[in-house]
Amino acid sequence: MTEEIKQTTRARVLEAACRLFAEKGFRDATVAEICDAANANIASVNYHFGDKEGLYDEVWRHAFAITTSAYPANGGVSENATEEDLLYAFASALLHRIFSEEETGLFAKLLYREMASPTLALEKIAEEAIFPQTRLVGQTVKKVLGDTVDDQTLVLCKHSIIGQCAFYNFSRPLRTRIMGKEALTEQELDRIARHIARFSMGGLREIMNGEL
Amino acid sequence: MTEEIKQTTRARVLEAACRLFAEKGFRDATVAEICDAANANIASVNYHFGDKEGLYDEVWRHAFAITTSAYPANGGVSENATEEDLLYAFASALLHRIFSEEETGLFAKLLYREMASPTLALEKIAEEAIFPQTRLVGQTVKKVLGDTVDDQTLVLCKHSIIGQCAFYNFSRPLRTRIMGKEALTEQELDRIARHIARFSMGGLREIMNGEL
Amino acid sequence: MTEEIKQTTRARVLEAACRLFAEKGFRDATVAEICDAANANIASVNYHFGDKEGLYDEVWRHAFAITTSAYPANGGVSENATEEDLLYAFASALLHRIFSEEETGLFAKLLYREMASPTLALEKIAEEAIFPQTRLVGQTVKKVLGDTVDDQTLVLCKHSIIGQCAFYNFSRPLRTRIMGKEALTEQELDRIARHIARFSMGGLREIMNGEL
Amino acid sequence: MTEEIKQTTRARVLEAACRLFAEKGFRDATVAEICDAANANIASVNYHFGDKEGLYDEVWRHAFAITTSAYPANGGVSENATEEDLLYAFASALLHRIFSEEETGLFAKLLYREMASPTLALEKIAEEAIFPQTRLVGQTVKKVLGDTVDDQTLVLCKHSIIGQCAFYNFSRPLRTRIMGKEALTEQELDRIARHIARFSMGGLREIMNGEL
DNA sequence: TATGAATGAGGTTTCATTCAT
DNA sequence: GATGAATGAAACCTCATTCAT
């Protein structure tokens, strides 16, 4: 008996669903397919999760828990670090989430695939998973620009920084063409994170000077 | 007889399809719905476009033609302009495409909704619609960093700039939450474009100094 | 090619549905079963009637049209007839509807089987098929009791008369036990109608005397 | 611990089933729903009653016991009462069963909802619950018409009387429309019972005269 | 005595596509 | 050049029932 079989039906279905939803999206991953992959009866989804959407909700929760525990948004850096280090830690965490080929990468894949989906329980995801991160960046931005920065500028700077990271999530299908390779080494990923941190520091300083 | 009715069936179907694919995505926009909206027979799609995917391909072509003629990637700026102006023109064009509520906005909406779609004839879209733009940015980056910049740095800088713009396309569903409003005035859009240009100039200079 | 096959798919499905809904009720008659009986594809119901409920609505309409054209509620008797003849005509029409083994009997069977059903578009059925009949009886009652009869008494008398007829619809499953036989001859049916008319005349006169 | 909880599981399930079968019918009341309402395990039905139909049988028995003990068919009137009083007592008992909003009304509701049902263990119900009542009416009819009345006339008269009462059971869904109100006061119910008794006496006398 | 996870059969609906006209 | 009736595959969901514990 393999370990796969020993898991509870619920767990097997959940894992299969994570994988298939991330791979094909909500609509294209069928209940039958998921149950098949989980070696479970097709009624399991109804029994354990109510319906397909209930399963989907649980998948989001599961993927979110895994990714945040593996890669906390603050990157494990103390708040006393230099601003560039803070930005680097943030970018590094995001990029790890995006490029991970493991379970820890499922959340970013779901986000990438379903940002456009009408089924996305967006409010909840945003509240739990996205806005805390933007607030984190906001703090760093404020450290550079000073507390007197106006709200609009603050927001624009946050978007500039997050956009640079998120780009690597949403350009997935172009990745081979864009980067010449599928997977990234840890060093390459690090190179990107350092670039984003430095580029952003330059950007922020430029903005700060303009403000004066 | 209104102009709507005088159009050929094919044209009416194509327009309805553009609208509905942009609005709902490939899977969720049904052939029946499109034909209905176009006041055409349900067999029209297969008759004129072979099948649903054939129609989809044509929709991409159509939307691309409209958007590029309305907002050329170079933003209509001469190559003699300052680097910041070039970046501004680029960002402005992209943002216009993204925020347009007219037919000219369909392409960005399709891109947003279907970047993740397995049906996307990605190669062609990328070749025609995306890479020419990144090359444009690449030229500007080179003007700032100098011709001797290494390829990897060049690519990272391009991504930093494009990512800042693309962010506004892929954050559509969060837009109300993120920006506090649905639609943007021309002035607000301009503010964003100027921000991105200046932030990017700062970023490029920082990178350039680091390179030395 | 039999005549059955030459009918349109829509007509075949409708007829099969009439029969099966009358026989088993809305829930227990399945779409698959109906389409099978009609020699039609299972998607026909969706195509021609939208969904199962749409088909059900159409079945009611169809059965109602058939039964009212075969057995008009006034029994084809002129309003100058004696009151007992009017009651007899009314009862006779209702009983014919109830005991008919042909298509003309479908409406009563549907009513019998689905009076309790939550799917019944009751308002419409009542408005079209039931209340016109009660009004008819009301007129005859007034002829006997005089125009000065109070509303409550009028209503109670109408119910007494209609109840005697309707009893034969709702006692269907007990029919063999109650009447000792399944089907009725025209003479037996006539005997019942005459009984109800006479019994009711006696009842009305008693009520009238009590009123004085 | 409330009394509700102290009851045996079997009793709780039975009560919940009575309520839900009366409310929704056999098909539409699900086993899961019943067990839920009874705060019992989903396997309880099969465990205690064999299967859903077994539970249904038990529900009929239960509801019948309750209603007959609350409203005996003879209405508690001595056989020495006048014929009209006997009819009044009979009608009153039936109408109370029909209009009761308590547990005592469950039997009539079940009858109303499931007369058409193929699951109904009709023979048993009829034998225990229905025919004793018709025999009772038959006795009264004989008292009026004399012992020499022919069988057919006797049956027709019984149906006329029972039909008037049963009408109020089977017209439930039309009740608001027909009577202008949902619930009935004791006085209104009494008014109906007296009407039926008197109307029937008139009918019987008319029939008797015709027979001569 | 009782549980609850798990199942299998079967229901309705959707939808892209086809084909005779 | 265009139609629309008809289809088949496949999707999701429901629910009574079972079985190991």
Side-chain angles (χ1 to χ4, degrees):
Chain A
M1 233 189 223
T2 70
E3 190 179 353
E4 171 75 9
I5 298 294
K6 272 194 295 190
Q7 278 180 296
T8 65
T9 300
R10 194 194 133 93
R12 291 202 315 278
V13 169
L14 188 58
E15 275 190 22
C18 276
R19 193 158 37 79
L20 285 161
F21 280 142
E23 195 177 304
K24 306 183 150 196
F26 180 76
R27 283 288 303 266
D28 290 325
T30 72
V31 170
E33 188 176 27
I34 290 166
C35 291
D36 246 39
N39 235 307
N41 186 275
I42 192 172
S44 314
V45 167
N46 177 251
Y47 180 71
H48 288 288
F49 306 95
D51 60 7
K52 195 186 180 186
E53 284 210 37
L55 171 58
Y56 196 54
D57 282 356
E58 199 59 34
V59 159
W60 275 102
R61 247 190 299 279
H62 187 64
F64 177 60
I66 287 174
T67 208
T68 44
S69 99
Y71 306 113
N74 63 15
V77 172
S78 86
E79 294 209 357
N80 300 326
T82 66
E83 286 89 0
E84 185 162 340
D85 279 348
L86 287 169
L87 290 178
Y88 163 77
F90 173 84
S92 178
L94 240 61
L95 291 171
H96 272 95
R97 292 179 180 195
I98 290 167
F99 285 100
S100 163
E101 298 290 341
E102 315 295 317
E103 263 200 315
T104 49
L106 288 175
F107 184 75
K109 280 182 184 155
L110 285 168
L111 205 57
Y112 146 70
R113 195 164 284 291
E114 300 292 343
M115 188 55 111
S117 164
T119 67
L120 178 56
L122 191 59
E123 278 298 314
K124 213 180 48 196
I125 300 295
E127 207 57 69
E128 289 182 2
I130 300 180
F131 292 121
Q133 302 204 353
T134 70
R135 269 178 240 124
L136 212 62
V137 178
Q139 288 168 16
T140 308
V141 171
K142 265 193 179 165
K143 281 191 183 166
V144 178
L145 300 188
D147 275 340
T148 59
V149 62
D150 66 296
D151 277 2
Q152 212 178 351
T153 302
L154 181 65
V155 164
L156 288 171
C157 288
K158 276 165 36 174
H159 293 178
S160 281
I161 295 165
I162 294 168
Q164 289 177 74
C165 301
F167 173 79
Y168 291 94
N169 200 21
F170 295 108
S171 62
R172 271 170 199 276
L174 303 174
R175 194 165 292 171
T176 340
R177 291 289 303 267
I178 273 180
M179 320 214 293
K181 54 179 66 175
E182 276 288 346
L184 246 61
T185 66
E186 184 66 26
Q187 286 172 341
E188 287 165 327
L189 196 153
D190 196 63
R191 170 82 208 269
I192 300 175
R194 275 189 291 111
H195 164 82
I196 290 174
R198 181 179 299 173
F199 190 98
S200 297
M201 282 307 296
L204 289 175
R205 286 196 196 106
E206 183 76 18
I207 296 299
M208 185 174 53
N209 294 334
E211 292 278 304
L212 295 180
Chain B
M1 232 186 226
T2 70
E3 190 179 352
E4 171 73 10
I5 298 295
K6 271 196 296 191
Q7 278 182 297
T8 64
T9 299
R10 191 182 186 284
R12 289 203 315 278
V13 170
L14 187 58
E15 276 190 20
C18 276
R19 191 158 39 80
L20 286 162
F21 281 142
E23 197 177 301
K24 306 182 150 197
F26 180 76
R27 277 290 302 266
D28 289 327
T30 70
V31 169
E33 189 175 26
I34 290 166
C35 291
D36 229 49
N39 238 305
N41 186 273
I42 192 175
S44 312
V45 165
N46 295 76
Y47 184 73
H48 288 288
F49 303 94
D51 60 8
K52 196 187 180 185
E53 286 211 32
L55 170 60
Y56 196 54
D57 283 353
E58 200 59 32
V59 158
W60 276 103
R61 246 190 297 280
H62 187 64
F64 176 60
I66 287 174
T67 208
T68 42
S69 98
Y71 305 114
N74 62 14
V77 172
S78 88
E79 295 208 356
N80 300 326
T82 66
E83 285 89 1
E84 184 162 341
D85 281 346
L86 287 170
L87 290 178
Y88 163 76
F90 173 82
S92 179
L94 238 61
L95 291 171
H96 272 95
R97 293 180 179 193
I98 291 167
F99 285 101
S100 164
E101 298 290 340
E102 316 294 318
E103 264 200 313
T104 49
L106 290 175
F107 183 75
K109 281 182 184 154
L110 286 169
L111 204 57
Y112 146 70
R113 197 165 281 292
E114 300 293 343
M115 186 58 106
S117 165
T119 67
L120 178 57
L122 190 61
E123 278 300 312
K124 211 179 48 198
I125 299 298
E127 207 55 69
E128 291 181 359
I130 299 178
F131 293 122
Q133 300 203 357
T134 70
R135 269 178 240 122
L136 212 61
V137 178
Q139 287 167 19
T140 307
V141 171
K142 266 193 179 165
K143 281 191 183 169
V144 178
L145 301 187
D147 274 341
T148 60
V149 62
D150 67 296
D151 275 2
Q152 211 176 354
T153 302
L154 181 63
V155 163
L156 288 172
C157 289
K158 279 172 21 177
H159 292 178
S160 281
I161 296 165
I162 295 169
Q164 290 178 72
C165 301
F167 174 79
Y168 291 94
N169 199 21
F170 295 108
S171 63
R172 274 171 197 276
L174 302 175
R175 195 166 291 173
T176 341
R177 291 289 302 270
I178 273 181
M179 321 216 291
K181 53 178 68 176
E182 277 289 345
L184 245 61
T185 64
E186 184 65 27
Q187 285 171 342
E188 288 166 326
L189 196 153
D190 196 61
R191 170 86 206 266
I192 300 175
R194 275 189 291 112
H195 165 83
I196 291 174
R198 182 179 299 173
F199 190 98
S200 298
M201 283 306 297
L204 289 175
R205 287 197 196 105
E206 183 77 18
I207 296 299
M208 188 173 52
N209 294 335
E211 293 280 305
L212 293 180
Chain C
M1 234 189 223
T2 70
E3 190 178 351
E4 171 73 9
I5 298 294
K6 271 195 298 191
Q7 279 180 295
T8 64
T9 298
R10 194 194 134 93
R12 291 201 316 277
V13 169
L14 187 58
E15 275 189 21
C18 276
R19 191 159 38 80
L20 286 161
F21 281 142
E23 196 177 303
K24 306 182 150 197
F26 180 76
R27 282 289 303 265
D28 290 324
T30 72
V31 170
E33 187 175 30
I34 290 166
C35 291
D36 246 39
N39 235 305
N41 185 275
I42 194 175
S44 312
V45 166
N46 177 250
Y47 180 70
H48 288 289
F49 305 95
D51 58 8
K52 195 185 180 187
E53 284 212 38
L55 171 59
Y56 196 54
D57 283 354
E58 198 60 31
V59 159
W60 275 102
R61 246 190 300 280
H62 187 64
F64 178 60
I66 286 173
T67 208
T68 42
S69 99
Y71 306 114
N74 61 15
V77 172
S78 88
E79 293 208 356
N80 300 325
T82 66
E83 284 89 1
E84 184 162 341
D85 280 348
L86 287 170
L87 290 178
Y88 163 76
F90 174 82
S92 177
L94 239 61
L95 291 171
H96 271 95
R97 292 179 180 194
I98 290 167
F99 285 101
S100 163
E101 297 290 341
E102 316 294 317
E103 264 200 313
T104 50
L106 289 175
F107 184 75
K109 280 181 185 155
L110 286 169
L111 205 56
Y112 146 70
R113 195 164 284 290
E114 300 292 344
M115 187 56 110
S117 163
T119 68
L120 179 56
L122 189 61
E123 279 297 314
K124 211 180 50 197
I125 300 297
E127 208 56 70
E128 289 181 1
I130 298 178
F131 293 121
Q133 300 202 355
T134 71
R135 269 178 240 124
L136 212 60
V137 178
Q139 288 168 17
T140 308
V141 171
K142 266 193 178 165
K143 279 190 183 167
V144 177
L145 300 186
D147 274 342
T148 59
V149 63
D150 67 295
D151 276 3
Q152 211 178 351
T153 303
L154 181 65
V155 164
L156 288 171
C157 289
K158 278 168 31 176
H159 292 179
S160 280
I161 295 165
I162 294 169
Q164 290 177 73
C165 302
F167 174 78
Y168 291 94
N169 199 21
F170 295 108
S171 62
R172 271 170 199 275
L174 303 174
R175 194 165 292 170
T176 338
R177 292 289 303 268
I178 272 180
M179 319 215 294
K181 54 178 67 175
E182 275 289 346
L184 247 60
T185 65
E186 184 66 27
Q187 285 172 342
E188 288 166 327
L189 195 154
D190 197 62
R191 172 83 207 269
I192 301 175
R194 275 190 292 112
H195 165 82
I196 291 175
R198 183 179 297 173
F199 190 99
S200 298
M201 283 307 297
L204 288 175
R205 286 197 196 103
E206 184 78 17
I207 297 297
M208 186 172 54
N209 294 333
E211 293 278 305
L212 293 179
Chain D
M1 235 188 223
T2 70
E3 189 178 353
E4 170 74 9
I5 297 296
K6 272 195 295 190
Q7 278 182 298
T8 64
T9 299
R10 192 181 185 285
R12 290 203 315 278
V13 169
L14 188 58
E15 275 190 22
C18 275
R19 192 159 38 80
L20 285 161
F21 281 143
E23 196 178 303
K24 307 181 150 197
F26 180 75
R27 278 290 302 265
D28 290 327
T30 70
V31 170
E33 190 174 26
I34 290 166
C35 292
D36 228 48
N39 239 305
N41 186 272
I42 193 174
S44 313
V45 166
N46 294 77
Y47 183 73
H48 288 287
F49 304 93
D51 60 9
K52 195 187 180 186
E53 287 210 32
L55 171 59
Y56 196 53
D57 284 353
E58 201 58 33
V59 158
W60 275 103
R61 245 189 299 280
H62 186 65
F64 177 61
I66 287 173
T67 208
T68 43
S69 98
Y71 306 112
N74 62 15
V77 172
S78 87
E79 294 210 356
N80 301 325
T82 65
E83 286 90 359
E84 185 162 338
D85 280 347
L86 288 170
L87 289 178
Y88 164 75
F90 173 82
S92 180
L94 238 61
L95 291 171
H96 271 95
R97 293 181 179 193
I98 291 167
F99 285 101
S100 163
E101 298 290 342
E102 315 295 317
E103 263 201 314
T104 50
L106 288 176
F107 183 75
K109 280 182 184 153
L110 285 169
L111 204 58
Y112 146 70
R113 196 165 284 291
E114 300 292 344
M115 187 56 109
S117 166
T119 67
L120 177 57
L122 191 59
E123 278 300 313
K124 211 179 47 197
I125 300 298
E127 207 57 69
E128 290 182 1
I130 299 179
F131 293 122
Q133 302 205 353
T134 70
R135 268 178 240 122
L136 212 61
V137 179
Q139 288 167 17
T140 309
V141 170
K142 267 193 179 164
K143 282 191 181 167
V144 178
L145 299 187
D147 273 342
T148 58
V149 63
D150 67 297
D151 276 2
Q152 212 178 352
T153 302
L154 182 64
V155 164
L156 288 171
C157 288
K158 280 172 20 180
H159 292 179
S160 281
I161 295 164
I162 295 168
Q164 289 177 73
C165 302
F167 174 79
Y168 291 93
N169 200 20
F170 295 107
S171 62
R172 273 171 197 277
L174 302 174
R175 196 165 289 173
T176 341
R177 290 289 302 267
I178 272 180
M179 321 216 292
K181 54 178 66 176
E182 277 290 342
L184 245 60
T185 65
E186 185 65 26
Q187 287 172 341
E188 289 166 327
L189 195 154
D190 196 63
R191 170 87 207 265
I192 300 175
R194 276 189 291 111
H195 164 84
I196 291 175
R198 182 180 298 173
F199 190 98
S200 298
M201 281 308 296
L204 289 175
R205 288 198 194 103
E206 182 79 17
I207 295 300
M208 186 173 54
N209 294 334
E211 292 279 304
L212 295 178

